[in-house]
Amino acid sequence: MTRILSFSLLIAAAIIGYLAFTDAKPDPEPPKPVPDDAEWVMDESMARYLAEFEETFKAGMNEKKIPGASIVIVKDGRVVFQKGFGVRENGKPQRVNEHTVFRLGSVSKGFASVLTGVLADEGIVSWDDPVTNYVKDFQLYDPGQTGRVRIRHLLSHTSGLPRHAYTNLVEDGLSMDRIIPRLREVPLIAKEGEQLAYQNATYSVIEKVLENQTESDFNTLLQEKLFKPLSMDHASSTYEGIREAENRALPHVYVSRSRGRAPISISRKYYNAVSSGGINASASDMGKWLLMLTGHHPEVISEESLNKLSEPIATLNNRRFSRHWDDVNRSYYGLGWRVLDNHGQKIVYHGGYVNGYRSEIAFSPEDGTGICILINTSSSYPLEVIPGFFNHFRSDSSITTSDQTR
């Protein structure tokens, strides 16, 4: 027994000596977990404002007889508010929540320009590339102008074509492959880059540009480059996508004073021109989208490309798109986005209407603030709400968020 004990002591001494000689150290303690968002506490003034905003929005929604709505708000890299209101379909009990899917209409245009920015970051396309480099069937009434039209002209509605050229063909369900060759039949109203004339068919030529250069379907590009990386789990870009969504809002139209707004069927319109009006999403999806737009996903798109999207290209010297903003008499169009100067506060925004759905999205890059409102009927109410929201969050406002922990 004494021999065994002595041998054990010798082995222990040898191990200690070896560790001391080799400067070996025991395994370090695992790092302490970093506090997650569950421990973040909202600033009291922010919470108070959002509670007031919610009550005011609900009152206005009831007054306007809007069946259902969903809102998301981001501030300083966080989703600070997301909530649904009302019902998915008038006369039925299912409520709208933050995951209810709506159609976005022309808010889809911002997805196309962001996707182009992602591919520009990857060196696949350039904003200044001629469209004919990628789409041989793209021809305008003036052959010389055809060769001068760049990708940026498509995305800023400054190709020289008249307003809504062949939007009727998009709404009739023709494919872009059938529409593009017919653009050469339309007399031009301006040289490229000189005049804003809003487009759907011509804007959607960007889909063929990206498809031909990547050899991938536009909807696949949306999924792989945007929806999946941002975890936009309810977003889609097909008619089947919204039809198969169990939690979807139905569109409504005004029928009469007695019947109010009645539900209608979801149509296939604009799924043939997805970049102009074919994306479906929920408020929770749009919160993730807004975080990317305010610069919190540089792994998806670079700051340089984000900034490029909101550089004013064309000017609108009227109040058509700024009429709800006090003393803002002009607005601009960048690449898939409208832009205005709210007395020193840059606002980047877009609206959409399709098939009885209305959507509005807006963000202030400098203030790190953004909002998206989705409703399942036609109403200007979201436009009326948004200016007051941004006035509250202007950089001279005392409202801030804090990163306190419990």
Side-chain angles (χ1 to χ4, degrees), residues 31-49:
K32 295 181 179 179
V34 177
D36 60 20
D37 283 353
E39 299 178 4
W40 175 75
V41 178
M42 186 181 295
D43 182 270
E44 287 184 9
S45 57
M46 168 75 85
R48 186 166 54 251
Y49 169 73

Side-chain angles (χ1 to χ4, degrees), residues 11 260 305:
I11 292 296
S305 288

Side-chain angles (χ1 to χ4, degrees), residues 112 177 202 220 222 232:
D177 287 331
T202 309
T220 301
L222 287 172
M232 296 177 67

Side-chain angles (χ1 to χ4, degrees), residues 279-300:
I279 291 179
N280 320 303
S282 66
S284 59
D285 294 321
M286 297 307 285
K288 296 165 184 175
W289 183 240
L290 280 165
L291 290 176
M292 184 276 298
L293 291 170
T294 50
H296 297 283
H297 282 284
E299 78 283 3
V300 174

Side-chain angles (χ1 to χ4, degrees), residues 210-266:
L210 303 184
E211 287 180 347
N212 290 343
Q213 184 64 356
T214 62
E215 299 183 350
S216 183
D217 177 77
F218 185 74
N219 289 341
T220 301
L221 290 171
L222 287 172
Q223 286 287 341
E224 292 181 351
K225 301 293 186 181
L226 298 177
F227 297 163
K228 287 182 181 177
L230 295 172
S231 298
M232 296 177 67
D233 299 329
H234 310 287
S236 63
S237 53
T238 64
Y239 171 76
E240 291 74 21
I242 192 168
R243 287 292 302 172
E244 293 170 5
E246 183 177 342
N247 184 3
R248 67 179 183 273
L250 281 184
H252 293 72
V253 295
Y254 180 80
V255 178
S256 65
R257 183 175 297 180
S258 60
R259 290 187 59 195
R261 300 180 189 269
I264 59 173
S265 298
I266 299 172

Side-chain angles (χ1 to χ4, degrees), residues 67 86-96 248 250 252 263:
V87 294
R88 298 186 227 162
E89 179 182 356
N90 259 346
K92 294 191 176 180
Q94 288 81 11
R95 305 287 297 178
V96 172
R248 67 179 183 273
L250 281 184
H252 293 72

